[in-house]
Short mmCIF file of all heavy atoms in Angstrom, two decimals:
data_model
loop_
_atom_site.label_atom_id
_atom_site.label_comp_id
_atom_site.label_asym_id
_atom_site.label_seq_id
_atom_site.Cartn_x
_atom_site.Cartn_y
_atom_site.Cartn_z
N THR A 35 -21.84 47.24 7.55
CA THR A 35 -21.82 46.93 8.96
C THR A 35 -20.62 46.09 9.35
O THR A 35 -19.96 46.19 10.40
CB THR A 35 -23.11 46.37 9.52
OG1 THR A 35 -23.44 45.10 8.77
CG2 THR A 35 -24.28 47.28 9.29
N THR A 38 -17.50 48.09 9.53
CA THR A 38 -17.55 48.89 10.73
C THR A 38 -17.15 47.93 11.90
O THR A 38 -16.37 48.37 12.81
CB THR A 38 -18.97 49.47 11.06
OG1 THR A 38 -19.41 50.18 9.97
CG2 THR A 38 -18.89 50.34 12.27
N SER A 93 -37.82 44.80 11.18
CA SER A 93 -37.15 45.49 10.07
C SER A 93 -37.22 47.06 10.30
O SER A 93 -36.24 47.71 10.18
CB SER A 93 -37.83 45.18 8.76
OG SER A 93 -37.58 43.84 8.45
N TYR A 94 -38.37 47.56 10.82
CA TYR A 94 -38.55 48.92 10.95
C TYR A 94 -37.65 49.44 12.13
O TYR A 94 -36.91 50.39 12.02
CB TYR A 94 -40.02 49.27 11.32
CG TYR A 94 -40.23 50.72 11.65
CD1 TYR A 94 -40.37 51.70 10.62
CD2 TYR A 94 -40.37 51.11 12.98
CE1 TYR A 94 -40.55 52.99 10.99
CE2 TYR A 94 -40.56 52.42 13.35
CZ TYR A 94 -40.65 53.37 12.30
OH TYR A 94 -40.88 54.69 12.64
N TRP A 95 -37.78 48.78 13.28
CA TRP A 95 -36.99 49.30 14.45
C TRP A 95 -35.49 48.99 14.29
O TRP A 95 -34.66 49.84 14.75
CB TRP A 95 -37.44 48.57 15.63
CG TRP A 95 -38.80 49.21 16.12
CD1 TRP A 95 -40.02 48.57 16.06
CD2 TRP A 95 -39.05 50.50 16.60
NE1 TRP A 95 -41.00 49.40 16.50
CE2 TRP A 95 -40.45 50.61 16.85
CE3 TRP A 95 -38.28 51.62 16.90
CZ2 TRP A 95 -41.03 51.79 17.30
CZ3 TRP A 95 -38.87 52.77 17.36
CH2 TRP A 95 -40.20 52.85 17.56
N GLY A 96 -35.11 47.89 13.57
CA GLY A 96 -33.68 47.64 13.37
C GLY A 96 -33.14 48.85 12.49
O GLY A 96 -32.05 49.33 12.76
N GLU A 97 -33.85 49.26 11.46
CA GLU A 97 -33.37 50.30 10.62
C GLU A 97 -33.32 51.65 11.34
O GLU A 97 -32.41 52.47 11.23
CB GLU A 97 -34.25 50.50 9.43
CG GLU A 97 -33.99 49.48 8.29
CD GLU A 97 -34.80 49.81 6.99
OE1 GLU A 97 -35.69 50.57 7.09
OE2 GLU A 97 -34.36 49.25 5.93
N MET A 98 -34.36 51.90 12.23
CA MET A 98 -34.44 53.15 13.02
C MET A 98 -33.28 53.27 14.01
O MET A 98 -32.80 54.38 14.31
CB MET A 98 -35.75 53.24 13.65
CG MET A 98 -37.00 53.39 12.77
SD MET A 98 -36.90 54.96 11.69
CE MET A 98 -36.43 54.24 10.11
N LEU A 99 -32.89 52.19 14.57
CA LEU A 99 -31.91 52.22 15.69
C LEU A 99 -30.46 52.23 15.23
O LEU A 99 -29.60 52.80 15.98
CB LEU A 99 -32.17 51.03 16.67
CG LEU A 99 -33.47 51.10 17.50
CD1 LEU A 99 -33.59 49.85 18.33
CD2 LEU A 99 -33.47 52.33 18.44
N ILE A 100 -30.19 51.58 14.07
CA ILE A 100 -28.75 51.43 13.75
C ILE A 100 -27.99 52.71 13.61
O ILE A 100 -26.86 52.83 14.04
CB ILE A 100 -28.64 50.56 12.54
CG1 ILE A 100 -27.16 50.18 12.29
CG2 ILE A 100 -29.24 51.23 11.29
CD1 ILE A 100 -26.90 49.13 11.28
N ALA A 101 -28.61 53.75 12.99
CA ALA A 101 -27.90 55.01 12.78
C ALA A 101 -27.59 55.71 14.01
O ALA A 101 -26.43 56.01 14.24
CB ALA A 101 -28.70 55.92 11.80
N PRO A 102 -28.53 55.97 14.95
CA PRO A 102 -28.14 56.67 16.22
C PRO A 102 -27.26 55.87 17.06
O PRO A 102 -26.34 56.43 17.71
CB PRO A 102 -29.51 56.95 16.88
CG PRO A 102 -30.49 56.01 16.24
CD PRO A 102 -29.98 55.82 14.82
N VAL A 103 -27.33 54.52 17.06
CA VAL A 103 -26.42 53.72 17.94
C VAL A 103 -25.02 53.84 17.40
O VAL A 103 -23.98 53.90 18.13
CB VAL A 103 -26.88 52.31 17.98
CG1 VAL A 103 -25.87 51.38 18.59
CG2 VAL A 103 -28.19 52.19 18.70
N LEU A 104 -24.79 53.73 16.06
CA LEU A 104 -23.46 53.85 15.47
C LEU A 104 -22.88 55.24 15.80
O LEU A 104 -21.68 55.29 16.15
CB LEU A 104 -23.57 53.65 13.95
CG LEU A 104 -23.72 52.19 13.46
CD1 LEU A 104 -23.87 52.16 11.94
CD2 LEU A 104 -22.44 51.33 13.91
N ILE A 105 -23.67 56.26 15.57
CA ILE A 105 -23.08 57.58 15.90
C ILE A 105 -22.75 57.67 17.39
O ILE A 105 -21.74 58.29 17.80
CB ILE A 105 -24.15 58.64 15.50
CG1 ILE A 105 -24.32 58.65 13.97
CG2 ILE A 105 -23.71 60.08 15.99
CD1 ILE A 105 -25.47 59.61 13.50
N LEU A 106 -23.63 57.17 18.34
CA LEU A 106 -23.33 57.24 19.73
C LEU A 106 -22.08 56.45 20.11
O LEU A 106 -21.25 57.00 20.83
CB LEU A 106 -24.52 56.63 20.50
CG LEU A 106 -24.32 56.48 22.00
CD1 LEU A 106 -24.17 57.91 22.59
CD2 LEU A 106 -25.50 55.77 22.65
N PHE A 107 -21.90 55.26 19.51
CA PHE A 107 -20.65 54.51 19.67
C PHE A 107 -19.49 55.29 19.22
O PHE A 107 -18.41 55.39 19.96
CB PHE A 107 -20.66 53.21 18.85
CG PHE A 107 -20.96 51.93 19.77
CD1 PHE A 107 -22.27 51.61 20.03
CD2 PHE A 107 -19.96 51.17 20.11
CE1 PHE A 107 -22.56 50.55 20.79
CE2 PHE A 107 -20.17 50.08 20.91
CZ PHE A 107 -21.49 49.69 21.24
N GLY A 108 -19.59 55.93 18.08
CA GLY A 108 -18.43 56.74 17.53
C GLY A 108 -18.05 57.87 18.47
O GLY A 108 -16.88 58.14 18.67
N VAL A 109 -19.09 58.59 18.92
CA VAL A 109 -18.86 59.77 19.80
C VAL A 109 -18.25 59.29 21.17
O VAL A 109 -17.30 59.94 21.67
CB VAL A 109 -20.15 60.58 20.07
CG1 VAL A 109 -19.99 61.60 21.11
CG2 VAL A 109 -20.64 61.22 18.78
N LEU A 110 -18.72 58.17 21.74
CA LEU A 110 -18.16 57.73 22.93
C LEU A 110 -16.71 57.30 22.74
O LEU A 110 -15.82 57.48 23.67
CB LEU A 110 -18.95 56.62 23.51
CG LEU A 110 -20.34 56.95 24.05
CD1 LEU A 110 -21.04 55.68 24.48
CD2 LEU A 110 -20.24 57.89 25.18
N MET A 111 -16.40 56.64 21.64
CA MET A 111 -15.03 56.21 21.35
C MET A 111 -14.14 57.45 21.19
O MET A 111 -12.92 57.43 21.56
CB MET A 111 -14.97 55.33 20.11
CG MET A 111 -15.53 53.93 20.38
SD MET A 111 -15.59 53.00 18.81
CE MET A 111 -13.87 52.80 18.49
N LEU A 143 -22.62 44.62 19.16
CA LEU A 143 -22.58 44.98 17.81
C LEU A 143 -23.15 43.91 16.86
O LEU A 143 -23.86 44.19 15.94
CB LEU A 143 -21.19 45.42 17.37
CG LEU A 143 -20.66 46.80 17.71
CD1 LEU A 143 -19.30 46.96 17.05
CD2 LEU A 143 -21.64 47.81 17.11
N LEU A 146 -26.92 43.86 17.31
CA LEU A 146 -27.48 45.10 16.65
C LEU A 146 -27.44 44.92 15.08
O LEU A 146 -28.44 45.17 14.46
CB LEU A 146 -26.73 46.36 17.11
CG LEU A 146 -27.12 47.63 16.30
CD1 LEU A 146 -28.55 48.06 16.63
CD2 LEU A 146 -26.12 48.77 16.66
N PHE A 147 -26.23 44.63 14.59
CA PHE A 147 -26.13 44.64 13.13
C PHE A 147 -26.99 43.44 12.52
O PHE A 147 -27.36 43.59 11.42
CB PHE A 147 -24.60 44.44 12.78
CG PHE A 147 -23.77 45.64 12.98
CD1 PHE A 147 -22.42 45.61 12.94
CD2 PHE A 147 -24.38 46.88 13.40
CE1 PHE A 147 -21.68 46.77 13.18
CE2 PHE A 147 -23.65 48.01 13.58
CZ PHE A 147 -22.27 47.98 13.52
N ALA A 150 -30.51 44.76 12.21
CA ALA A 150 -30.64 45.99 11.31
C ALA A 150 -30.91 45.55 9.96
O ALA A 150 -29.97 45.64 9.10
CB ALA A 150 -29.44 46.86 11.50
N ALA A 221 -13.53 55.54 15.46
CA ALA A 221 -14.66 56.36 15.94
C ALA A 221 -15.21 57.08 14.73
O ALA A 221 -16.49 57.10 14.62
CB ALA A 221 -14.21 57.21 16.97
N LEU A 223 -15.08 56.24 11.68
CA LEU A 223 -15.80 55.31 10.72
C LEU A 223 -17.19 55.00 11.28
O LEU A 223 -18.13 55.01 10.46
CB LEU A 223 -14.91 54.01 10.74
CG LEU A 223 -15.55 52.89 9.98
CD1 LEU A 223 -15.65 53.15 8.54
CD2 LEU A 223 -14.68 51.63 10.13
N PHE A 224 -17.34 54.81 12.52
CA PHE A 224 -18.67 54.61 13.14
C PHE A 224 -19.57 55.83 12.79
O PHE A 224 -20.74 55.60 12.41
CB PHE A 224 -18.57 54.46 14.69
CG PHE A 224 -18.39 52.98 15.01
CD1 PHE A 224 -17.29 52.31 14.79
CD2 PHE A 224 -19.42 52.35 15.78
CE1 PHE A 224 -17.07 50.99 15.18
CE2 PHE A 224 -19.27 51.04 16.17
CZ PHE A 224 -18.08 50.34 15.89
N ILE A 225 -19.09 56.99 13.04
CA ILE A 225 -19.86 58.21 12.79
C ILE A 225 -20.25 58.30 11.34
O ILE A 225 -21.38 58.59 10.92
CB ILE A 225 -19.13 59.50 13.38
CG1 ILE A 225 -19.00 59.41 14.83
CG2 ILE A 225 -19.94 60.69 12.95
CD1 ILE A 225 -18.14 60.45 15.43
N VAL A 226 -19.28 58.08 10.40
CA VAL A 226 -19.57 58.25 8.99
C VAL A 226 -20.57 57.19 8.55
O VAL A 226 -21.56 57.50 7.77
CB VAL A 226 -18.23 58.09 8.16
CG1 VAL A 226 -18.57 57.89 6.72
CG2 VAL A 226 -17.35 59.33 8.38
N ILE A 227 -20.43 55.92 8.99
CA ILE A 227 -21.39 54.87 8.62
C ILE A 227 -22.75 55.19 9.20
O ILE A 227 -23.79 55.04 8.56
CB ILE A 227 -20.91 53.45 9.08
CG1 ILE A 227 -19.63 53.12 8.39
CG2 ILE A 227 -22.00 52.45 8.80
CD1 ILE A 227 -19.75 52.84 6.96
N GLY A 228 -22.74 55.77 10.44
CA GLY A 228 -24.08 56.13 11.02
C GLY A 228 -24.71 57.32 10.23
O GLY A 228 -25.97 57.22 9.99
N LEU A 229 -23.94 58.25 9.82
CA LEU A 229 -24.48 59.36 8.97
C LEU A 229 -24.96 58.80 7.61
O LEU A 229 -26.03 59.27 7.09
CB LEU A 229 -23.48 60.48 8.81
CG LEU A 229 -23.12 61.22 10.05
CD1 LEU A 229 -22.00 62.20 9.76
CD2 LEU A 229 -24.31 61.95 10.60
N TYR A 230 -24.24 57.87 7.11
CA TYR A 230 -24.66 57.20 5.82
C TYR A 230 -26.03 56.56 6.03
O TYR A 230 -26.97 56.74 5.17
CB TYR A 230 -23.67 56.13 5.42
CG TYR A 230 -24.22 55.17 4.36
CD1 TYR A 230 -24.23 55.54 3.02
CD2 TYR A 230 -24.54 53.90 4.69
CE1 TYR A 230 -24.76 54.62 2.06
CE2 TYR A 230 -25.05 52.95 3.79
CZ TYR A 230 -25.14 53.33 2.48
OH TYR A 230 -25.51 52.52 1.51
N TYR A 231 -26.29 55.90 7.19
CA TYR A 231 -27.57 55.28 7.38
C TYR A 231 -28.71 56.37 7.68
O TYR A 231 -29.87 56.18 7.23
CB TYR A 231 -27.51 54.31 8.54
CG TYR A 231 -26.97 52.95 8.21
CD1 TYR A 231 -25.76 52.47 8.64
CD2 TYR A 231 -27.70 52.14 7.28
CE1 TYR A 231 -25.27 51.23 8.32
CE2 TYR A 231 -27.26 50.95 7.00
CZ TYR A 231 -26.04 50.45 7.49
OH TYR A 231 -25.54 49.21 7.07
N VAL A 232 -28.30 57.44 8.28
CA VAL A 232 -29.20 58.56 8.47
C VAL A 232 -29.72 59.03 7.04
O VAL A 232 -30.90 59.24 6.81
CB VAL A 232 -28.62 59.70 9.25
CG1 VAL A 232 -29.42 60.93 9.15
CG2 VAL A 232 -28.38 59.34 10.69
N PHE A 233 -28.73 59.20 6.18
CA PHE A 233 -29.06 59.67 4.83
C PHE A 233 -29.95 58.71 4.12
O PHE A 233 -30.98 59.07 3.50
CB PHE A 233 -27.78 59.96 4.00
CG PHE A 233 -28.07 60.43 2.64
CD1 PHE A 233 -28.39 61.72 2.38
CD2 PHE A 233 -27.92 59.53 1.54
CE1 PHE A 233 -28.58 62.24 1.08
CE2 PHE A 233 -28.18 60.03 0.24
CZ PHE A 233 -28.51 61.39 0.03
N THR A 234 -29.62 57.38 4.15
CA THR A 234 -30.40 56.42 3.37
C THR A 234 -31.65 56.03 3.95
O THR A 234 -32.62 55.72 3.31
CB THR A 234 -29.54 55.13 3.20
OG1 THR A 234 -29.12 54.64 4.46
CG2 THR A 234 -28.26 55.42 2.39
N ILE A 235 -31.76 56.05 5.30
CA ILE A 235 -33.04 55.63 5.99
C ILE A 235 -33.96 56.80 6.26
O ILE A 235 -35.19 56.73 6.01
CB ILE A 235 -32.60 54.92 7.30
CG1 ILE A 235 -31.94 53.57 7.01
CG2 ILE A 235 -33.98 54.59 8.09
CD1 ILE A 235 -31.37 52.91 8.23
N TYR A 236 -33.45 57.88 6.85
CA TYR A 236 -34.33 59.00 7.29
C TYR A 236 -34.57 60.00 6.15
O TYR A 236 -35.57 60.69 6.13
CB TYR A 236 -33.68 59.68 8.46
CG TYR A 236 -33.61 58.86 9.72
CD1 TYR A 236 -32.49 58.20 10.09
CD2 TYR A 236 -34.69 58.73 10.61
CE1 TYR A 236 -32.44 57.46 11.18
CE2 TYR A 236 -34.68 57.97 11.69
CZ TYR A 236 -33.52 57.31 12.02
OH TYR A 236 -33.48 56.57 13.14
N LEU A 237 -33.62 60.16 5.28
CA LEU A 237 -33.67 61.21 4.25
C LEU A 237 -34.05 60.58 2.86
O LEU A 237 -34.34 61.39 1.93
CB LEU A 237 -32.42 62.03 4.13
CG LEU A 237 -32.01 62.68 5.52
CD1 LEU A 237 -30.66 63.30 5.29
CD2 LEU A 237 -33.05 63.57 6.02
#
Side-chain angles (χ1 to χ4, degrees):
T35 58
T38 307
S93 296
Y94 175 80
W95 287 109
E97 284 190 342
M98 292 297 104
L99 289 175
I100 187 170
V103 169
L104 283 174
I105 294 173
L106 177 62
F107 257 82
V109 171
L110 288 176
M111 290 174 64
L143 277 185
L146 171 67
F147 289 170
L223 175 64
F224 269 67
I225 294 172
V226 168
I227 297 294
L229 292 175
Y230 164 77
Y231 278 114
V232 167
F233 179 78
T234 56
I235 294 171
Y236 295 96
L237 303 179

